[in-house]
Amino acid sequence: MLVSNCKAVQRAEITVRKQAIATRRVLKYLGVMIDDRLNFNSQVEYACEKEAKARIMPNNYGPSSSKRRLLASVSSSILKFGGSAWIEALKAKQNQKKLSRLLI
């Protein structure tokens, strides 16, 4: 991953023993998504996707209330994990909107 604040996306490819390794725009490290601009927009999207998957549970014939509470606490932990690293991403209005939709 190349980190840059240039507007154009920078790409590089390194060849090691005839194996090509290309740069990526996003890297997952210790459960936190780090993107090439270090603005953590990808972390917000990742957390929202995981939260949305955890919330899809039917009320009728679904899990019991204790299981639903457990899944709710897990999804809350997903949103909070690494928050000190990606808290700056919440300054962007688009990220605030994405996260506020989950909390409703």
Side-chain angles (χ1 to χ4, degrees):
M1 178 172 77
L2 294 174
V3 178
S4 173
N5 61 356
C6 296
K7 295 211 182 229
V9 176
Q10 297 180 5
R11 310 265 316 159
E13 189 171 295
I14 301 169
T15 305
V16 178
R17 294 186 185 173
K18 297 181 183 178
Q19 180 69 34
I21 302 170
T23 57
R24 292 189 178 186
R25 300 215 45 196
V26 179
L27 166 74
K28 184 176 180 181
Y29 183 72
L30 297 175
V32 178
M33 304 298 282
I34 304 169
D35 51 14
D36 57 352
R37 305 272 190 229
L38 293 178
N39 57 15
F40 293 95
N41 290 338
S42 57
Q43 172 63 22
V44 172
E45 290 174 17
Y46 175 71
C48 289
E49 286 173 18
K50 286 192 81 168
E51 168 70 16
K53 286 179 186 176
R55 281 189 178 230
I56 300 175
M57 291 179 286
N59 264 342
N60 52 350
Y61 305 111
S64 64
S65 62
S66 61
K67 289 180 184 176
R68 292 174 68 83
R69 266 194 310 273
L70 174 66
L71 289 172
S73 67
V74 167
S75 60
S76 174
S77 297
I78 289 169
L79 289 173
K80 293 175 186 174
F81 182 74
S84 59
W86 58 275
I87 193 71
E88 291 294 318
L90 295 180
K91 290 182 179 178
K93 294 285 185 189
Q94 64 183 8
N95 291 336
Q96 290 175 3
K97 288 179 185 177
K98 287 178 188 176
L99 289 172
S100 67
R101 279 187 233 134
L102 292 175
L103 300 175
I104 293 174

